[in-house]
Amino acid sequence: MRCLRIKTITAVALAAMLAANAAFAQAASKQAASKQTASKPSTPTSAQPAQLLAFVDDYARQHDFSGSVLIVQHGKPRLARQYGLANRAFAIRNDASTKYKIASITKAFTAVLILQLHEQGRLDLDAPMRRYLPDYRGSGGDRVSVRQLLNHTSGLVNFDQVTDAAQAIRSGLPNYQLPHTARQLLDDYCSGDLVHAPGSKFDYNNCDYIALGQIVERIYGQSYEQVLRERIVDPLGLKDTGMLHQRDIVAGLADSYFRRDDSKALTPDLPAYPENWYAAGAMYSTPVDLARFADAWFGGRLIGDKALAAMIAPGLDDYGFGVWSYPVRIDGRSYRAVKRPGRIMGAQAQLYRIVEAELTVVVLANTDATDLDEFVARIGKQALSKQAAEGRASDKHASDKPATD
């Protein structure tokens, strides 16, 4: 199936730019990364079958992966591995407690919050956004529906205007590198004229989820962060999940690094206010917490079956509400893959679910050295192929969706 290429220049426009430089990233210097090994010895267990473990370890080593991998099926872990350095200056390794920036996986949480409001009868998905944001200044207030915000067909002006890393490094990114409240983000960057008719075109855009975050705040009368905590984080016991703020030091949070074109080496991410990603990409988490979220999300503990079906129904560009959703065939069998990638500079994240197999793969990284789209796709295939070989479940996954933020 076709691979979608989305140019979302989040936080540092580097997402798109760096995605375009995938070939460069793989050819770049492998110095410390090439010496990375898993933080624990490769001892196969019933939860970590030898073939699957060997594949993940080999791929991580060959592709300079720095981060964590978790595979969970039917609510039980099958494999958990960590690689590389959380902090390169002090050679601190990633381990089982390391937290990561999860970028646009945040959008899946936001979509769930919106669907909860819909289930409560407090929000109509087909109502115009102005019903919930009466003081919204943009020209699309009476034309753009909540549904079109969820599936990125709103036509709102795109939040990310920087087109390459050189421009970001030279001129900065005012929407991310200057302090803004969520309301200021909506007013200053998301309230212009529509760029296309609502519903006519898929255009991946952080403005859509900034507006959704503001709708959540207006209906509940609380901050997005408070609602997120009360409706998802605390009920699920996600103790290592939350919102990033420039003012806060998050214990155990991995530093992130991207490759510059000029130096051709990993370098610390550009300074930014992480809260400016807001409901579109400002969260941090761990693989364990994200797998717990996925099991609750698909298991009916956050939204009901009807809302889940709406969320993962593929629309334009195979996009549902906050996630990509598409069929895959493995060994002649059909499955539905639901994928939520994220990327901001050196931070990369993948939350991948094969619905029928109840298989969740979480891959979180703190560098852009590895193509996580390919990695998560191949992990999924290996996980189910191994089961097929052992006469258990089935096989999975052959094509995939690209990372975006």
Side-chain angles (χ1 to χ4, degrees), residues 108-109 112-113 116 227-241 283 285-286 288-303:
F109 285 80
V112 166
L113 291 176
Q116 287 178 343
V227 177
L228 176 70
R229 185 168 57 248
E230 293 177 8
R231 299 292 307 179
I232 299 178
V233 173
D234 288 349
L236 297 183
L238 308 183
K239 299 185 183 304
D240 297 314
T241 297
M283 291 178 66
S285 191
T286 62
V288 169
D289 274 8
L290 288 179
R292 193 171 294 153
F293 165 70
D295 279 344
W297 166 25
F298 284 90
R301 288 185 286 134
L302 290 174
I303 55 176

PDB file of all heavy atoms in Angstrom, residues 108-109 112-113 116 227-241 283 285-286 288-303:
ATOM      1  N   ALA A 108      -3.572  11.239  19.644  1.00  0.00           N
ATOM      2  CA  ALA A 108      -4.473  10.125  19.948  1.00  0.00           C
ATOM      3  C   ALA A 108      -5.170  10.355  21.283  1.00  0.00           C
ATOM      4  O   ALA A 108      -6.367  10.053  21.432  1.00  0.00           O
ATOM      5  CB  ALA A 108      -3.695   8.808  19.971  1.00  0.00           C
ATOM      6  N   PHE A 109      -4.454  10.884  22.263  1.00  0.00           N
ATOM      7  CA  PHE A 109      -5.065  11.207  23.554  1.00  0.00           C
ATOM      8  C   PHE A 109      -6.129  12.295  23.373  1.00  0.00           C
ATOM      9  O   PHE A 109      -7.223  12.203  23.945  1.00  0.00           O
ATOM     10  CB  PHE A 109      -4.000  11.685  24.538  1.00  0.00           C
ATOM     11  CG  PHE A 109      -3.116  10.599  25.092  1.00  0.00           C
ATOM     12  CD1 PHE A 109      -2.047  10.096  24.361  1.00  0.00           C
ATOM     13  CD2 PHE A 109      -3.345  10.094  26.362  1.00  0.00           C
ATOM     14  CE1 PHE A 109      -1.227   9.107  24.886  1.00  0.00           C
ATOM     15  CE2 PHE A 109      -2.530   9.103  26.895  1.00  0.00           C
ATOM     16  CZ  PHE A 109      -1.464   8.601  26.153  1.00  0.00           C
ATOM     17  N   VAL A 112      -9.283  10.912  21.818  1.00  0.00           N
ATOM     18  CA  VAL A 112     -10.061  10.149  22.797  1.00  0.00           C
ATOM     19  C   VAL A 112     -10.848  11.097  23.699  1.00  0.00           C
ATOM     20  O   VAL A 112     -12.035  10.862  23.986  1.00  0.00           O
ATOM     21  CB  VAL A 112      -9.139   9.234  23.628  1.00  0.00           C
ATOM     22  CG1 VAL A 112      -9.869   8.695  24.859  1.00  0.00           C
ATOM     23  CG2 VAL A 112      -8.639   8.063  22.779  1.00  0.00           C
ATOM     24  N   LEU A 113     -10.240  12.192  24.157  1.00  0.00           N
ATOM     25  CA  LEU A 113     -10.949  13.157  25.003  1.00  0.00           C
ATOM     26  C   LEU A 113     -12.149  13.753  24.276  1.00  0.00           C
ATOM     27  O   LEU A 113     -13.223  13.939  24.864  1.00  0.00           O
ATOM     28  CB  LEU A 113      -9.993  14.273  25.450  1.00  0.00           C
ATOM     29  CG  LEU A 113      -8.890  13.872  26.430  1.00  0.00           C
ATOM     30  CD1 LEU A 113      -7.981  15.074  26.701  1.00  0.00           C
ATOM     31  CD2 LEU A 113      -9.462  13.330  27.730  1.00  0.00           C
ATOM     32  N   GLN A 116     -14.877  11.116  24.080  1.00  0.00           N
ATOM     33  CA  GLN A 116     -15.549  10.978  25.379  1.00  0.00           C
ATOM     34  C   GLN A 116     -16.630  12.046  25.534  1.00  0.00           C
ATOM     35  O   GLN A 116     -17.737  11.758  26.005  1.00  0.00           O
ATOM     36  CB  GLN A 116     -14.529  11.076  26.511  1.00  0.00           C
ATOM     37  CG  GLN A 116     -13.631   9.858  26.653  1.00  0.00           C
ATOM     38  CD  GLN A 116     -12.610  10.014  27.765  1.00  0.00           C
ATOM     39  OE1 GLN A 116     -12.340  11.114  28.235  1.00  0.00           O
ATOM     40  NE2 GLN A 116     -12.037   8.903  28.202  1.00  0.00           N
ATOM     41  N   VAL A 227      -7.761  18.035  32.390  1.00  0.00           N
ATOM     42  CA  VAL A 227      -8.717  17.070  31.828  1.00  0.00           C
ATOM     43  C   VAL A 227      -7.997  15.787  31.433  1.00  0.00           C
ATOM     44  O   VAL A 227      -8.480  14.670  31.711  1.00  0.00           O
ATOM     45  CB  VAL A 227      -9.457  17.674  30.625  1.00  0.00           C
ATOM     46  CG1 VAL A 227     -10.393  16.650  29.998  1.00  0.00           C
ATOM     47  CG2 VAL A 227     -10.236  18.923  31.033  1.00  0.00           C
ATOM     48  N   LEU A 228      -6.860  15.920  30.791  1.00  0.00           N
ATOM     49  CA  LEU A 228      -6.069  14.753  30.390  1.00  0.00           C
ATOM     50  C   LEU A 228      -5.746  13.892  31.610  1.00  0.00           C
ATOM     51  O   LEU A 228      -5.890  12.664  31.575  1.00  0.00           O
ATOM     52  CB  LEU A 228      -4.778  15.216  29.715  1.00  0.00           C
ATOM     53  CG  LEU A 228      -3.786  14.134  29.306  1.00  0.00           C
ATOM     54  CD1 LEU A 228      -4.325  13.307  28.147  1.00  0.00           C
ATOM     55  CD2 LEU A 228      -2.443  14.768  28.917  1.00  0.00           C
ATOM     56  N   ARG A 229      -5.330  14.539  32.674  1.00  0.00           N
ATOM     57  CA  ARG A 229      -4.979  13.798  33.880  1.00  0.00           C
ATOM     58  C   ARG A 229      -6.197  13.115  34.504  1.00  0.00           C
ATOM     59  O   ARG A 229      -6.142  11.936  34.874  1.00  0.00           O
ATOM     60  CB  ARG A 229      -4.329  14.745  34.889  1.00  0.00           C
ATOM     61  CG  ARG A 229      -3.811  14.044  36.150  1.00  0.00           C
ATOM     62  CD  ARG A 229      -2.933  14.949  36.986  1.00  0.00           C
ATOM     63  NE  ARG A 229      -3.630  16.163  37.376  1.00  0.00           N
ATOM     64  CZ  ARG A 229      -3.325  17.385  36.939  1.00  0.00           C
ATOM     65  NH1 ARG A 229      -2.346  17.552  36.077  1.00  0.00           N
ATOM     66  NH2 ARG A 229      -4.002  18.439  37.360  1.00  0.00           N
ATOM     67  N   GLU A 230      -7.318  13.831  34.585  1.00  0.00           N
ATOM     68  CA  GLU A 230      -8.494  13.288  35.262  1.00  0.00           C
ATOM     69  C   GLU A 230      -9.234  12.245  34.438  1.00  0.00           C
ATOM     70  O   GLU A 230      -9.845  11.325  34.994  1.00  0.00           O
ATOM     71  CB  GLU A 230      -9.446  14.426  35.629  1.00  0.00           C
ATOM     72  CG  GLU A 230      -8.888  15.358  36.692  1.00  0.00           C
ATOM     73  CD  GLU A 230      -9.809  16.519  37.000  1.00  0.00           C
ATOM     74  OE1 GLU A 230     -10.964  16.523  36.494  1.00  0.00           O
ATOM     75  OE2 GLU A 230      -9.382  17.433  37.742  1.00  0.00           O
ATOM     76  N   ARG A 231      -9.190  12.367  33.106  1.00  0.00           N
ATOM     77  CA  ARG A 231      -9.977  11.478  32.252  1.00  0.00           C
ATOM     78  C   ARG A 231      -9.192  10.268  31.746  1.00  0.00           C
ATOM     79  O   ARG A 231      -9.794   9.240  31.409  1.00  0.00           O
ATOM     80  CB  ARG A 231     -10.523  12.255  31.043  1.00  0.00           C
ATOM     81  CG  ARG A 231     -11.457  13.406  31.384  1.00  0.00           C
ATOM     82  CD  ARG A 231     -12.759  12.938  31.961  1.00  0.00           C
ATOM     83  NE  ARG A 231     -13.400  11.939  31.112  1.00  0.00           N
ATOM     84  CZ  ARG A 231     -14.553  11.347  31.410  1.00  0.00           C
ATOM     85  NH1 ARG A 231     -15.179  11.648  32.534  1.00  0.00           N
ATOM     86  NH2 ARG A 231     -15.081  10.458  30.601  1.00  0.00           N
ATOM     87  N   ILE A 232      -7.848  10.379  31.662  1.00  0.00           N
ATOM     88  CA  ILE A 232      -7.063   9.283  31.097  1.00  0.00           C
ATOM     89  C   ILE A 232      -5.896   8.886  32.004  1.00  0.00           C
ATOM     90  O   ILE A 232      -5.771   7.734  32.398  1.00  0.00           O
ATOM     91  CB  ILE A 232      -6.532   9.639  29.687  1.00  0.00           C
ATOM     92  CG1 ILE A 232      -7.684   9.896  28.723  1.00  0.00           C
ATOM     93  CG2 ILE A 232      -5.636   8.514  29.159  1.00  0.00           C
ATOM     94  CD1 ILE A 232      -7.247  10.302  27.319  1.00  0.00           C
ATOM     95  N   VAL A 233      -5.054   9.826  32.337  1.00  0.00           N
ATOM     96  CA  VAL A 233      -3.787   9.498  33.011  1.00  0.00           C
ATOM     97  C   VAL A 233      -4.013   8.868  34.378  1.00  0.00           C
ATOM     98  O   VAL A 233      -3.493   7.777  34.668  1.00  0.00           O
ATOM     99  CB  VAL A 233      -2.903  10.758  33.119  1.00  0.00           C
ATOM    100  CG1 VAL A 233      -1.664  10.477  33.975  1.00  0.00           C
ATOM    101  CG2 VAL A 233      -2.480  11.233  31.725  1.00  0.00           C
ATOM    102  N   ASP A 234      -4.766   9.515  35.244  1.00  0.00           N
ATOM    103  CA  ASP A 234      -4.981   8.972  36.584  1.00  0.00           C
ATOM    104  C   ASP A 234      -5.831   7.705  36.596  1.00  0.00           C
ATOM    105  O   ASP A 234      -5.481   6.729  37.280  1.00  0.00           O
ATOM    106  CB  ASP A 234      -5.597  10.037  37.497  1.00  0.00           C
ATOM    107  CG  ASP A 234      -4.605  11.126  37.881  1.00  0.00           C
ATOM    108  OD1 ASP A 234      -3.392  10.947  37.611  1.00  0.00           O
ATOM    109  OD2 ASP A 234      -5.030  12.149  38.456  1.00  0.00           O
ATOM    110  N   PRO A 235      -6.950   7.657  35.853  1.00  0.00           N
ATOM    111  CA  PRO A 235      -7.741   6.415  35.866  1.00  0.00           C
ATOM    112  C   PRO A 235      -6.974   5.183  35.396  1.00  0.00           C
ATOM    113  O   PRO A 235      -7.226   4.073  35.867  1.00  0.00           O
ATOM    114  CB  PRO A 235      -8.904   6.734  34.913  1.00  0.00           C
ATOM    115  CG  PRO A 235      -9.044   8.214  34.976  1.00  0.00           C
ATOM    116  CD  PRO A 235      -7.645   8.731  35.120  1.00  0.00           C
ATOM    117  N   LEU A 236      -6.030   5.373  34.482  1.00  0.00           N
ATOM    118  CA  LEU A 236      -5.261   4.235  33.975  1.00  0.00           C
ATOM    119  C   LEU A 236      -3.977   4.000  34.756  1.00  0.00           C
ATOM    120  O   LEU A 236      -3.244   3.050  34.470  1.00  0.00           O
ATOM    121  CB  LEU A 236      -4.921   4.445  32.487  1.00  0.00           C
ATOM    122  CG  LEU A 236      -6.101   4.519  31.520  1.00  0.00           C
ATOM    123  CD1 LEU A 236      -5.603   4.644  30.086  1.00  0.00           C
ATOM    124  CD2 LEU A 236      -7.023   3.311  31.664  1.00  0.00           C
ATOM    125  N   GLY A 237      -3.677   4.869  35.715  1.00  0.00           N
ATOM    126  CA  GLY A 237      -2.450   4.712  36.496  1.00  0.00           C
ATOM    127  C   GLY A 237      -1.191   4.946  35.681  1.00  0.00           C
ATOM    128  O   GLY A 237      -0.170   4.273  35.891  1.00  0.00           O
ATOM    129  N   LEU A 238      -1.243   5.920  34.774  1.00  0.00           N
ATOM    130  CA  LEU A 238      -0.083   6.228  33.931  1.00  0.00           C
ATOM    131  C   LEU A 238       0.839   7.175  34.704  1.00  0.00           C
ATOM    132  O   LEU A 238       0.837   8.394  34.517  1.00  0.00           O
ATOM    133  CB  LEU A 238      -0.532   6.854  32.610  1.00  0.00           C
ATOM    134  CG  LEU A 238      -1.600   6.070  31.824  1.00  0.00           C
ATOM    135  CD1 LEU A 238      -1.897   6.761  30.499  1.00  0.00           C
ATOM    136  CD2 LEU A 238      -1.180   4.620  31.603  1.00  0.00           C
ATOM    137  N   LYS A 239       1.658   6.608  35.561  1.00  0.00           N
ATOM    138  CA  LYS A 239       2.456   7.400  36.493  1.00  0.00           C
ATOM    139  C   LYS A 239       3.633   8.116  35.833  1.00  0.00           C
ATOM    140  O   LYS A 239       4.225   9.013  36.424  1.00  0.00           O
ATOM    141  CB  LYS A 239       2.948   6.511  37.635  1.00  0.00           C
ATOM    142  CG  LYS A 239       1.810   5.901  38.449  1.00  0.00           C
ATOM    143  CD  LYS A 239       2.326   5.117  39.640  1.00  0.00           C
ATOM    144  CE  LYS A 239       1.191   4.451  40.413  1.00  0.00           C
ATOM    145  NZ  LYS A 239       0.166   5.407  40.871  1.00  0.00           N
ATOM    146  N   ASP A 240       3.980   7.706  34.628  1.00  0.00           N
ATOM    147  CA  ASP A 240       5.129   8.296  33.935  1.00  0.00           C
ATOM    148  C   ASP A 240       4.717   9.025  32.665  1.00  0.00           C
ATOM    149  O   ASP A 240       5.471   9.084  31.688  1.00  0.00           O
ATOM    150  CB  ASP A 240       6.152   7.210  33.607  1.00  0.00           C
ATOM    151  CG  ASP A 240       6.729   6.568  34.857  1.00  0.00           C
ATOM    152  OD1 ASP A 240       7.084   7.319  35.782  1.00  0.00           O
ATOM    153  OD2 ASP A 240       6.806   5.331  34.912  1.00  0.00           O
ATOM    154  N   THR A 241       3.516   9.592  32.686  1.00  0.00           N
ATOM    155  CA  THR A 241       2.956  10.277  31.515  1.00  0.00           C
ATOM    156  C   THR A 241       2.461  11.653  31.934  1.00  0.00           C
ATOM    157  O   THR A 241       1.867  11.804  32.998  1.00  0.00           O
ATOM    158  CB  THR A 241       1.786   9.466  30.935  1.00  0.00           C
ATOM    159  OG1 THR A 241       2.269   8.199  30.483  1.00  0.00           O
ATOM    160  CG2 THR A 241       1.129  10.189  29.768  1.00  0.00           C
ATOM    161  N   MET A 283       3.235  15.920  24.951  1.00  0.00           N
ATOM    162  CA  MET A 283       3.289  14.928  26.019  1.00  0.00           C
ATOM    163  C   MET A 283       4.617  14.176  26.074  1.00  0.00           C
ATOM    164  O   MET A 283       5.356  14.110  25.098  1.00  0.00           O
ATOM    165  CB  MET A 283       2.147  13.919  25.861  1.00  0.00           C
ATOM    166  CG  MET A 283       0.772  14.495  26.131  1.00  0.00           C
ATOM    167  SD  MET A 283      -0.559  13.278  25.866  1.00  0.00           S
ATOM    168  CE  MET A 283      -0.189  12.111  27.193  1.00  0.00           C
ATOM    169  N   SER A 285       6.028  10.237  27.849  1.00  0.00           N
ATOM    170  CA  SER A 285       5.515   8.984  28.401  1.00  0.00           C
ATOM    171  C   SER A 285       6.617   7.928  28.351  1.00  0.00           C
ATOM    172  O   SER A 285       7.774   8.214  28.024  1.00  0.00           O
ATOM    173  CB  SER A 285       4.273   8.525  27.626  1.00  0.00           C
ATOM    174  OG  SER A 285       3.618   7.461  28.289  1.00  0.00           O
ATOM    175  N   THR A 286       6.225   6.705  28.655  1.00  0.00           N
ATOM    176  CA  THR A 286       7.097   5.540  28.574  1.00  0.00           C
ATOM    177  C   THR A 286       6.407   4.465  27.731  1.00  0.00           C
ATOM    178  O   THR A 286       5.186   4.501  27.544  1.00  0.00           O
ATOM    179  CB  THR A 286       7.372   4.948  29.964  1.00  0.00           C
ATOM    180  OG1 THR A 286       6.129   4.499  30.535  1.00  0.00           O
ATOM    181  CG2 THR A 286       8.024   5.968  30.888  1.00  0.00           C
ATOM    182  N   VAL A 288       5.713   1.406  28.590  1.00  0.00           N
ATOM    183  CA  VAL A 288       4.747   0.684  29.416  1.00  0.00           C
ATOM    184  C   VAL A 288       3.445   1.470  29.538  1.00  0.00           C
ATOM    185  O   VAL A 288       2.345   0.915  29.394  1.00  0.00           O
ATOM    186  CB  VAL A 288       5.346   0.399  30.812  1.00  0.00           C
ATOM    187  CG1 VAL A 288       4.266  -0.101  31.773  1.00  0.00           C
ATOM    188  CG2 VAL A 288       6.462  -0.635  30.708  1.00  0.00           C
ATOM    189  N   ASP A 289       3.547   2.778  29.789  1.00  0.00           N
ATOM    190  CA  ASP A 289       2.339   3.594  29.906  1.00  0.00           C
ATOM    191  C   ASP A 289       1.572   3.643  28.588  1.00  0.00           C
ATOM    192  O   ASP A 289       0.335   3.581  28.576  1.00  0.00           O
ATOM    193  CB  ASP A 289       2.691   5.013  30.354  1.00  0.00           C
ATOM    194  CG  ASP A 289       2.785   5.136  31.870  1.00  0.00           C
ATOM    195  OD1 ASP A 289       2.725   4.108  32.573  1.00  0.00           O
ATOM    196  OD2 ASP A 289       2.932   6.274  32.362  1.00  0.00           O
ATOM    197  N   LEU A 290       2.270   3.754  27.472  1.00  0.00           N
ATOM    198  CA  LEU A 290       1.587   3.827  26.186  1.00  0.00           C
ATOM    199  C   LEU A 290       0.910   2.506  25.832  1.00  0.00           C
ATOM    200  O   LEU A 290      -0.187   2.493  25.256  1.00  0.00           O
ATOM    201  CB  LEU A 290       2.562   4.244  25.083  1.00  0.00           C
ATOM    202  CG  LEU A 290       3.000   5.708  25.127  1.00  0.00           C
ATOM    203  CD1 LEU A 290       3.989   5.997  23.997  1.00  0.00           C
ATOM    204  CD2 LEU A 290       1.809   6.658  25.027  1.00  0.00           C
ATOM    205  N   ALA A 291       1.541   1.397  26.173  1.00  0.00           N
ATOM    206  CA  ALA A 291       0.892   0.103  25.930  1.00  0.00           C
ATOM    207  C   ALA A 291      -0.352  -0.042  26.802  1.00  0.00           C
ATOM    208  O   ALA A 291      -1.383  -0.576  26.358  1.00  0.00           O
ATOM    209  CB  ALA A 291       1.876  -1.032  26.207  1.00  0.00           C
ATOM    210  N   ARG A 292      -0.282   0.459  28.023  1.00  0.00           N
ATOM    211  CA  ARG A 292      -1.449   0.427  28.918  1.00  0.00           C
ATOM    212  C   ARG A 292      -2.571   1.296  28.350  1.00  0.00           C
ATOM    213  O   ARG A 292      -3.748   0.916  28.382  1.00  0.00           O
ATOM    214  CB  ARG A 292      -1.019   0.917  30.301  1.00  0.00           C
ATOM    215  CG  ARG A 292      -2.008   0.662  31.415  1.00  0.00           C
ATOM    216  CD  ARG A 292      -1.387   0.998  32.758  1.00  0.00           C
ATOM    217  NE  ARG A 292      -0.283   0.097  33.058  1.00  0.00           N
ATOM    218  CZ  ARG A 292       0.739   0.408  33.841  1.00  0.00           C
ATOM    219  NH1 ARG A 292       0.816   1.602  34.391  1.00  0.00           N
ATOM    220  NH2 ARG A 292       1.679  -0.470  34.085  1.00  0.00           N
ATOM    221  N   PHE A 293      -2.201   2.469  27.833  1.00  0.00           N
ATOM    222  CA  PHE A 293      -3.180   3.336  27.190  1.00  0.00           C
ATOM    223  C   PHE A 293      -3.827   2.622  26.001  1.00  0.00           C
ATOM    224  O   PHE A 293      -5.054   2.648  25.829  1.00  0.00           O
ATOM    225  CB  PHE A 293      -2.505   4.631  26.738  1.00  0.00           C
ATOM    226  CG  PHE A 293      -3.299   5.452  25.760  1.00  0.00           C
ATOM    227  CD1 PHE A 293      -4.450   6.110  26.150  1.00  0.00           C
ATOM    228  CD2 PHE A 293      -2.880   5.574  24.438  1.00  0.00           C
ATOM    229  CE1 PHE A 293      -5.189   6.876  25.248  1.00  0.00           C
ATOM    230  CE2 PHE A 293      -3.596   6.333  23.522  1.00  0.00           C
ATOM    231  CZ  PHE A 293      -4.755   6.985  23.936  1.00  0.00           C
ATOM    232  N   ALA A 294      -3.014   1.982  25.163  1.00  0.00           N
ATOM    233  CA  ALA A 294      -3.547   1.304  23.980  1.00  0.00           C
ATOM    234  C   ALA A 294      -4.515   0.191  24.360  1.00  0.00           C
ATOM    235  O   ALA A 294      -5.577   0.032  23.747  1.00  0.00           O
ATOM    236  CB  ALA A 294      -2.404   0.754  23.128  1.00  0.00           C
ATOM    237  N   ASP A 295      -4.175  -0.602  25.369  1.00  0.00           N
ATOM    238  CA  ASP A 295      -5.063  -1.683  25.781  1.00  0.00           C
ATOM    239  C   ASP A 295      -6.389  -1.146  26.313  1.00  0.00           C
ATOM    240  O   ASP A 295      -7.458  -1.722  26.064  1.00  0.00           O
ATOM    241  CB  ASP A 295      -4.377  -2.558  26.836  1.00  0.00           C
ATOM    242  CG  ASP A 295      -3.427  -3.576  26.221  1.00  0.00           C
ATOM    243  OD1 ASP A 295      -3.513  -3.809  24.997  1.00  0.00           O
ATOM    244  OD2 ASP A 295      -2.599  -4.140  26.956  1.00  0.00           O
ATOM    245  N   ALA A 296      -6.336  -0.028  27.048  1.00  0.00           N
ATOM    246  CA  ALA A 296      -7.573   0.576  27.556  1.00  0.00           C
ATOM    247  C   ALA A 296      -8.387   1.186  26.425  1.00  0.00           C
ATOM    248  O   ALA A 296      -9.628   1.065  26.386  1.00  0.00           O
ATOM    249  CB  ALA A 296      -7.239   1.641  28.595  1.00  0.00           C
ATOM    250  N   TRP A 297      -7.716   1.827  25.491  1.00  0.00           N
ATOM    251  CA  TRP A 297      -8.349   2.478  24.344  1.00  0.00           C
ATOM    252  C   TRP A 297      -9.085   1.456  23.481  1.00  0.00           C
ATOM    253  O   TRP A 297     -10.261   1.619  23.131  1.00  0.00           O
ATOM    254  CB  TRP A 297      -7.256   3.223  23.601  1.00  0.00           C
ATOM    255  CG  TRP A 297      -7.501   3.732  22.246  1.00  0.00           C
ATOM    256  CD1 TRP A 297      -8.678   4.065  21.655  1.00  0.00           C
ATOM    257  CD2 TRP A 297      -6.479   4.015  21.265  1.00  0.00           C
ATOM    258  NE1 TRP A 297      -8.470   4.531  20.374  1.00  0.00           N
ATOM    259  CE2 TRP A 297      -7.132   4.504  20.109  1.00  0.00           C
ATOM    260  CE3 TRP A 297      -5.091   3.901  21.260  1.00  0.00           C
ATOM    261  CZ2 TRP A 297      -6.429   4.886  18.958  1.00  0.00           C
ATOM    262  CZ3 TRP A 297      -4.387   4.278  20.122  1.00  0.00           C
ATOM    263  CH2 TRP A 297      -5.062   4.760  18.986  1.00  0.00           C
ATOM    264  N   PHE A 298      -8.404   0.353  23.136  1.00  0.00           N
ATOM    265  CA  PHE A 298      -9.021  -0.672  22.293  1.00  0.00           C
ATOM    266  C   PHE A 298      -9.875  -1.644  23.090  1.00  0.00           C
ATOM    267  O   PHE A 298     -10.644  -2.403  22.503  1.00  0.00           O
ATOM    268  CB  PHE A 298      -7.941  -1.425  21.513  1.00  0.00           C
ATOM    269  CG  PHE A 298      -7.382  -0.649  20.364  1.00  0.00           C
ATOM    270  CD1 PHE A 298      -6.276   0.176  20.534  1.00  0.00           C
ATOM    271  CD2 PHE A 298      -7.962  -0.712  19.116  1.00  0.00           C
ATOM    272  CE1 PHE A 298      -5.761   0.918  19.479  1.00  0.00           C
ATOM    273  CE2 PHE A 298      -7.456   0.021  18.048  1.00  0.00           C
ATOM    274  CZ  PHE A 298      -6.357   0.843  18.233  1.00  0.00           C
ATOM    275  N   GLY A 299      -9.752  -1.611  24.407  1.00  0.00           N
ATOM    276  CA  GLY A 299     -10.490  -2.547  25.243  1.00  0.00           C
ATOM    277  C   GLY A 299     -11.770  -1.980  25.833  1.00  0.00           C
ATOM    278  O   GLY A 299     -12.389  -2.617  26.700  1.00  0.00           O
ATOM    279  N   GLY A 300     -12.201  -0.801  25.392  1.00  0.00           N
ATOM    280  CA  GLY A 300     -13.475  -0.254  25.822  1.00  0.00           C
ATOM    281  C   GLY A 300     -13.460   0.454  27.166  1.00  0.00           C
ATOM    282  O   GLY A 300     -14.519   0.795  27.692  1.00  0.00           O
ATOM    283  N   ARG A 301     -12.281   0.724  27.717  1.00  0.00           N
ATOM    284  CA  ARG A 301     -12.214   1.372  29.028  1.00  0.00           C
ATOM    285  C   ARG A 301     -12.069   2.883  28.937  1.00  0.00           C
ATOM    286  O   ARG A 301     -12.106   3.569  29.953  1.00  0.00           O
ATOM    287  CB  ARG A 301     -11.069   0.776  29.848  1.00  0.00           C
ATOM    288  CG  ARG A 301     -11.391  -0.637  30.328  1.00  0.00           C
ATOM    289  CD  ARG A 301     -10.323  -1.185  31.244  1.00  0.00           C
ATOM    290  NE  ARG A 301      -9.130  -1.565  30.514  1.00  0.00           N
ATOM    291  CZ  ARG A 301      -7.895  -1.247  30.879  1.00  0.00           C
ATOM    292  NH1 ARG A 301      -7.684  -0.505  31.937  1.00  0.00           N
ATOM    293  NH2 ARG A 301      -6.866  -1.658  30.168  1.00  0.00           N
ATOM    294  N   LEU A 302     -11.910   3.412  27.728  1.00  0.00           N
ATOM    295  CA  LEU A 302     -11.829   4.865  27.530  1.00  0.00           C
ATOM    296  C   LEU A 302     -12.974   5.374  26.661  1.00  0.00           C
ATOM    297  O   LEU A 302     -13.562   6.407  26.944  1.00  0.00           O
ATOM    298  CB  LEU A 302     -10.478   5.254  26.911  1.00  0.00           C
ATOM    299  CG  LEU A 302      -9.266   5.107  27.812  1.00  0.00           C
ATOM    300  CD1 LEU A 302      -7.982   5.387  27.025  1.00  0.00           C
ATOM    301  CD2 LEU A 302      -9.346   6.039  29.018  1.00  0.00           C
ATOM    302  N   ILE A 303     -13.254   4.668  25.595  1.00  0.00           N
ATOM    303  CA  ILE A 303     -14.377   4.985  24.713  1.00  0.00           C
ATOM    304  C   ILE A 303     -15.058   3.684  24.321  1.00  0.00           C
ATOM    305  O   ILE A 303     -14.448   2.613  24.369  1.00  0.00           O
ATOM    306  CB  ILE A 303     -13.934   5.760  23.451  1.00  0.00           C
ATOM    307  CG1 ILE A 303     -12.831   5.004  22.691  1.00  0.00           C
ATOM    308  CG2 ILE A 303     -13.480   7.170  23.817  1.00  0.00           C
ATOM    309  CD1 ILE A 303     -12.405   5.666  21.394  1.00  0.00           C
TER     310      ILE A 303
END
